[in-house]
Amino acid sequence: MTKSKVTELEQKKEKIFLGGGLKAIEKQKAMGKLTARERIIALLDEGSFHEYDIFVEHDSHDFGMQNKELPGDGVIIGTGRICGNPVAVFAQDFTVAGGSLGHMHARKITKIMDYAQNMRIPLIGINDSGGARIQEGVNALAGYGEIFFRNTLASGVIPQISVILGPCAGGAVYSPALTDFVFVVDKVSKMFITGPEVIKTVLGEEISQEDLGGARVHSEVAGNAHFFAESEDECFAQIRKLISLIPANNSAPATSEKQQEPKKDYKIDQIVPLDPTIPYDVRNVIRSIADDSDFFEVMELFAANIVVGFGRIDGQTVGFVANQPAVMAGVLDCDSSDKAARFIRYCDAFNIPIVTLEDLPGYLPGIDQEHSGVIRHGAKLLYAYSEATVPKITVIMRKAYGGGYIAMGSRHLRADFVFAWPQAEIAVMGPDGAANIIFRKEIMEAENPEEMRKVKIQEYKDKFANPYVAASKGYIDSVIAPDETRRFVAHALKVSKNKTVLRPQKKHGIPPF
Ligand code: HXC
């Protein structure tokens, strides 16, 4: 008797596991995509997935829906493990009504979101959906509203990870936009508020899904995606790596592992040229101080003039924020300020110490930036550093000019430790610009203005383009040799393990969003 019931259960499940049917699965595969269930299996530790709500059915009756079977209502939910860590997951099944979100589909997603929030474990959403199910009208919109609300409540409590693995439209991209990290795959991921069909109807314009919102567009131009992969498998490996680095929730300590020394290939004193005008790749500096030289970069392709990402020092996860002299001299602008501010807020919410590596000429001048709101965007960075109460350690490697000096985790925004290399230049602006302004009269009136300009530039350099004036005021704690950096940072991290600061009571601040 039991056996036949079990067989019946297996048969029911098998039917549901076929999703939208063999033809729809074939179409999915032809697009180079895995099915929703295959994706979950590939992402999680082997044999760890437990699925819930398999037998949920849709409850819509209009536009012929009453006669339609939508297995699992087009979404799979469950829990499993990644590198042994518990996670909650949902994956939309595009083979079932285009993964569109109806009332019961949304109920399944909100159920797993509530589990994740209550159990304080990361939530991973695999999105492959045409958005709100058009036939279900306001019920579908209500479903998205419930998801957005939960995304917002869970923000800063549990890590929320979104994976875009198909043509995602409408609400299917707004929920990811509220989450912490968005993963995309080349040629597979498409994100837009309204699809090409709607654009054609409303605006009369023809545009491909790829040009409208392909993986590269969101990684390089729009800044909506944080991780770019060439394949779904590479994407899942990236998610597993991220989960291994970040804490499971906002009251768990930052993760730690056995300490490993950086690789010998990265020699910190040979990476940064003494001449402040010569560029270099700051990621090599990070690799020279991170355990095993392992740096997991976030938003690698967007606003590359700043570099952010995770690594470990003495086994403990830290967030690195570093100016990138190899791109636009590492200048701060609207996009790089947004990128760094958001990353700092993530680290702060999840108790991850912040290590800042500084070498920049300041904020980017010009009409483009002013009209794009560099004041508002740049202020986000000041706000994020000031607001953060996790341990903050700053190393000034070369240039620290003007607003850039203040913004990049300065003592004045409450860095706990500020170290500077002997070649550091801390000044209101570069010596050339400064001399031209404050010695303009002397230069103009000199017999040989060019000679006088050189003399005055040198005078300014001798006075301010060094770390010792700042050190004499206690704005930096130690002037250190480049090859002492890892030791000083590691020690600073150790002594700030129990850092506690009290801030004024308030409901919340009003960052310059
Ligand atoms: C119901 C949908 C659907 C939807 C797709 N399908 N989107 N069904 N509601 N929103 C169905 C299709 O009818 C089709 O069913 C199947 O899914 C596959 O879709 P195709 O169009 O054949 O696939 P493709 O050519 O790859 O195009 C995918 C797409 C396109 C770009 C996503 O389907 C599309 O533009 N859909 C509408 C997108 C959209 O504008 N959504 C916004 C909803 S409003 P059959 O039976 O033929 O296989 C929204 C509000 C949220 O989400 C508010 C946020 C603030």
Side-chain angles (χ1 to χ4, degrees):
M1 177 66 182
T2 313
K3 204 166 165 213
S4 68
K5 287 288 176 198
V6 170
T7 311
E8 187 191 347
L9 169 68
E10 293 305 329
Q11 283 166 349
K12 275 178 186 283
K13 283 206 273 193
E14 224 165 86
K15 189 160 171 250
I16 289 167
F17 286 176
L18 266 183
L22 289 175
K23 224 167 136 199
I25 291 174
E26 243 170 59
K27 196 176 157 198
Q28 175 93 347
K29 298 267 178 183
M31 289 190 280
K33 293 158 67 180
L34 296 174
T35 65
R37 223 167 244 101
E38 284 169 348
R39 285 168 171 166
I40 292 177
I41 302 298
L43 171 67
L44 301 181
D45 290 351
E46 203 181 334
S48 73
F49 182 53
H50 289 242
E51 185 173 342
Y52 315 124
D53 279 358
I54 292 176
F55 301 108
V56 160
E57 289 174 6
H58 77 86
D59 60 1
S60 85
H61 306 285
D62 299 318
F63 304 105
M65 288 295 285
Q66 63 276 23
N67 306 321
K68 270 206 172 153
E69 269 188 36
L70 302 181
D73 204 7
V75 64
I76 297 163
I77 65 166
T79 50
R81 290 189 307 276
I82 288 183
C83 308
N85 305 296
V87 295
V89 59
F90 72 82
Q92 293 175 308
D93 185 348
F94 196 80
T95 69
V96 178
S100 58
L101 181 134
H103 173 228
M104 292 308 291
H105 179 122
R107 283 266 295 269
K108 284 179 75 169
I109 293 180
T110 53
K111 181 189 242 187
I112 202 67
M113 292 178 86
D114 290 342
Y115 275 1
Q117 168 96 315
N118 293 340
M119 310 307 165
R120 295 287 193 268
I121 56 176
L123 173 76
I124 303 168
I126 301 178
N127 298 268
D128 190 357
S129 164
R133 188 172 297 150
I134 295 160
Q135 299 90 328
E136 294 203 25
V138 72
N139 269 336
L141 298 180
Y144 268 126
E146 292 292 328
I147 292 171
F148 300 160
F149 181 74
R150 281 170 177 79
N151 282 137
T152 307
L153 285 199
S155 178
V157 181
I158 51 168
Q160 298 184 84
I161 291 169
S162 296
V163 198
I164 307 294
L165 291 182
C168 293
V173 293
Y174 263 130
S175 170
L178 288 166
T179 63
D180 305 322
F181 298 107
V182 176
F183 289 73
V184 292
V185 174
D186 200 19
K187 311 277 188 309
V188 173
S189 312
K190 316 298 188 283
M191 298 166 79
F192 25 76
I193 299 300
T194 45
E197 285 297 325
V198 178
I199 290 180
K200 200 170 152 193
T201 314
V202 178
L203 302 173
E205 288 170 13
E206 297 243 11
I207 186 159
S208 73
Q209 288 186 13
E210 190 67 33
D211 289 343
L212 185 59
R216 283 210 173 267
V217 169
H218 290 293
S219 304
E220 292 172 7
V221 186
N224 292 318
H226 302 84
F227 295 94
F228 175 91
E230 299 287 346
S231 67
E232 294 198 18
D233 279 344
E234 189 192 346
C235 171
F236 298 142
Q238 289 173 342
I239 297 169
R240 292 174 64 83
K241 171 104 185 179
L242 179 65
I243 291 286
S244 75
L245 281 160
I246 58 175
N249 59 60
N250 65 343
S251 50
T255 65
S256 68
E257 265 190 7
K258 208 167 144 276
Q259 177 213 326
Q260 283 173 296
E261 287 300 308
K263 292 191 173 120
K264 297 262 182 287
D265 327 14
Y266 299 100
K267 296 194 172 49
I268 194 165
D269 42 2
Q270 292 172 20
I271 297 167
V272 183
L274 269 182
D275 180 343
T277 61
I278 299 181
Y280 60 92
D281 187 345
V282 77
R283 291 174 299 187
N284 289 333
V285 178
I286 297 174
R287 291 181 188 114
S288 76
I289 58 174
D291 285 13
D292 201 28
S293 301
D294 192 8
F295 175 52
F296 190 55
E297 192 169 350
V298 178
M299 295 187 99
E300 183 182 348
L301 303 174
F302 181 73
N305 41 329
I306 205 154
V307 168
V308 300
F310 299 107
R312 288 196 164 91
I313 289 185
D314 270 4
Q316 189 193 354
T317 295
V318 299
F320 287 102
V321 180
N323 308 116
Q324 174 57 291
V327 180
M328 296 159 69
V331 77
L332 282 174
D333 57 4
C334 297
D335 286 346
S336 61
S337 301
D338 277 8
K339 171 176 163 179
R342 185 184 159 104
F343 181 73
I344 290 163
R345 294 197 95 208
Y346 183 86
C347 291
D348 189 46
F350 288 95
N351 303 311
I352 300 171
I354 297 159
V355 176
T356 302
L357 299 171
E358 182 171 356
D359 184 355
L360 82 162
Y363 280 95
L364 181 62
I367 191 168
D368 265 10
Q369 285 295 305
E370 298 292 352
H371 287 194
S372 303
V374 70
I375 297 173
R376 175 165 56 90
H377 293 286
K380 292 178 194 174
L381 191 57
L382 304 173
Y383 194 102
Y385 267 118
S386 302
E387 176 192 47
T389 56
V390 287
K392 297 182 281 195
I393 298 152
T394 298
V395 181
I396 303 174
M397 300 182 296
R398 267 190 341 187
K399 297 190 290 287
Y401 295 158
Y405 158 72
I406 309 170
M408 288 300 295
S410 65
R411 158 67 24 84
H412 322 292
L413 306 187
R414 301 298 180 270
D416 299 290
F417 295 92
V418 183
F419 306 121
W421 292 358
Q423 60 265 47
E425 298 183 1
I426 303 166
V428 173
M429 62 174 72
D432 297 27
N436 280 338
I437 293 170
I438 59 177
F439 302 119
R440 186 178 351 188
K441 216 159 154 234
E442 285 102 316
I443 293 172
M444 271 168 55
E445 288 169 2
E447 224 166 88
N448 184 340
E450 271 322 298
E451 256 327 290
M452 180 60 86
R453 192 188 316 276
K454 277 188 198 147
V455 169
K456 290 299 177 189
I457 288 173
Q458 195 54 46
E459 206 176 292
Y460 191 84
K461 256 189 193 163
D462 293 343
K463 174 74 186 156
F464 285 121
N466 63 65
Y468 300 107
V469 179
S472 75
K473 305 282 179 213
Y475 297 151
I476 55 181
D477 300 295
S478 302
V479 181
I480 61 171
D483 62 6
E484 291 180 301
T485 304
R486 177 173 156 95
R487 185 163 64 81
F488 270 77
V489 172
H491 179 77
L493 285 167
K494 257 194 203 97
V495 298
S496 40
K497 269 232 155 74
N498 298 325
K499 180 181 174 188
T500 314
V501 290
L502 293 176
R503 290 286 165 84
Q505 275 287 323
K506 55 180 158 181
K507 189 172 171 193
H508 57 68
I510 304 147
F513 276 169

